[in-house]
Amino acid sequence: KERNTAAYYMVEFEQLLPWTMRFDGNAGYRYVKTETQGNGAMTYTVIHKTSAFNAADRNNAAGIVSASITQQTTFEGVTEDWTPSVNLNLWGFNDQVVFRYNWAETIARPPLGRLLPTGTCTWDERNIDDGTDVGCGTVGNPDLKPFESLNQNYSLEYYPNRDTMFSLAYFKNKIITG
């Protein structure tokens, strides 16, 4: 179960400049509080060799014995994030050319399935000799951090008429976590 509370504060501005130029944009902060709750089940399986174990026939049921235990798990977590953003535009030539700059911190939360503490781990005595004695499938992590990045976008755009646009853009994405 996930509950999100969000708020956004933004300031917009516009300034006319000489030679039919205009500078406008906005800046703001987004606040997000996420409360997460989940239940899962962890299973731990142990496989031991018996005295009848034959390495040439590793999977013969007479040569191994196994036991499993499953434990119910729960988790709760709360995170709070502030993500700023800035959008700036410099218009010229009667709004036919614009240079844009955008900067923002972004966050993308992991899907709930990756947070749930659920999965299976197996300790297999048959694999001790080759160093792979424990194998776990996909197990969720309640403390998994979100994907965070700093994004910047630069573009130069030309609008010769209402139906036509030419643009040149550069996007930069710096990964912080994730």
Side-chain angles (χ1 to χ4, degrees):
K1 184 165 104 174
E2 187 175 82
R3 180 183 176 153
N4 292 302
T5 305
Y8 188 75
Y9 176 76
M10 181 174 64
V11 175
E12 294 183 335
F13 62 90
E14 180 175 352
Q15 178 65 49
L16 295 176
L17 300 172
W19 306 296
T20 68
M21 294 179 65
R22 177 169 46 99
F23 182 59
D24 65 16
N26 60 59
Y29 271 96
R30 181 168 190 233
Y31 166 77
V32 180
K33 178 180 178 181
T34 304
E35 299 170 80
T36 312
Q37 298 175 336
N39 298 316
M42 286 296 301
T43 302
Y44 189 67
T45 301
V46 176
I47 301 172
H48 285 288
K49 297 188 274 186
T50 67
S51 59
F53 178 75
N54 178 357
D57 189 12
R58 312 174 26 101
N59 295 320
N60 187 326
I64 57 174
V65 63
S66 66
S68 296
I69 185 169
T70 300
Q71 175 71 41
Q72 293 297 316
T73 59
T74 61
F75 77 93
E76 292 183 13
V78 176
T79 60
E80 294 181 296
D81 298 295
W82 291 89
T83 56
S85 66
V86 174
N87 301 291
L88 305 173
N89 310 300
L90 179 61
W91 295 86
F93 304 101
N94 295 316
D95 289 346
Q96 285 188 309
V97 176
V98 61
F99 175 75
R100 298 183 194 270
Y101 173 74
N102 312 98
W103 176 90
E105 286 185 20
T106 60
I107 292 180
R109 301 224 172 271
L112 195 55
R114 294 206 180 159
L115 300 174
L116 290 175
T118 186
T120 301
C121 289
T122 303
W123 182 86
D124 192 340
E125 187 178 20
R126 297 171 296 178
N127 296 335
I128 289 177
D129 294 334
D130 63 12
T132 58
D133 59 337
V134 177
C136 292
T138 301
V139 178
N141 179 355
D143 290 327
L144 193 61
K145 294 187 182 309
F147 176 86
E148 295 179 279
S149 67
L150 294 175
N151 298 335
Q152 292 185 68
N153 187 34
Y154 304 84
S155 69
L156 181 61
E157 303 166 16
Y158 172 53
Y159 298 89
N161 59 51
R162 293 181 69 160
D163 300 323
T164 308
M165 174 186 144
F166 297 99
S167 68
L168 180 63
Y170 173 75
F171 179 76
K172 183 178 178 182
N173 185 345
K174 180 180 177 185
I175 307 300
I176 299 170
T177 62

